[in-house]
Amino acid sequence: MFISNGIVYGGAPTGTIKVSSIKILPDKIMLLTFSSGETRVFDATILKGGVFEQLNNEKVFEGATIDHGVVTWADGDIDCAPEYMYQNSYEYSAVV
């Protein structure tokens, strides 16, 4: 348990995590490397509704960039929190 800004939280505080690199794969799959050094697989099909509908356009999706550790699309009009991407991604081990 910890307190931050007068709010009590269960568990332990998490450190700030950022995306340090991305690789776009077919079918809206991304390989993300995080500031922790981990590379994880993120299935972007879970990003639905509202502004994320634009990601169904392949050119928009493939135009992903990193801005201050956050994955963005469409010149920063669309973004996704790195914490969300980390929590909703899967461990990845490259086969050598």
Side-chain angles (χ1 to χ4, degrees):
M1 179 167 55
F2 68 100
I3 300 173
S4 177
N5 296 323
I7 301 171
V8 178
Y9 295 89
T14 57
T16 302
I17 193 154
K18 296 180 178 185
V19 176
S20 54
S21 72
I22 55 177
K23 180 175 182 181
I24 304 295
L25 301 174
D27 301 320
K28 292 179 75 176
I29 303 294
M30 305 171 86
L31 280 182
L32 304 173
T33 302
F34 292 90
S35 54
S36 63
E38 295 174 81
T39 298
R40 299 175 63 90
V41 177
F42 180 75
D43 181 351
T45 60
I46 67 171
L47 302 175
K48 297 181 185 227
V51 70
F52 293 119
E53 291 302 317
Q54 294 178 54
L55 299 181
N56 291 325
N57 179 319
E58 192 173 317
K59 288 189 181 209
V60 173
F61 183 74
E62 290 178 352
T65 59
I66 300 170
D67 185 14
H68 300 289
V70 177
V71 177
T72 69
W73 294 269
D75 295 323
D77 289 343
I78 307 168
D79 64 30
C80 187
E83 298 85 1
Y84 180 85
M85 296 180 102
Y86 184 87
Q87 292 170 354
N88 291 282
S89 60
Y90 304 91
E91 292 183 24
Y92 172 78
S93 300
V95 178
V96 184

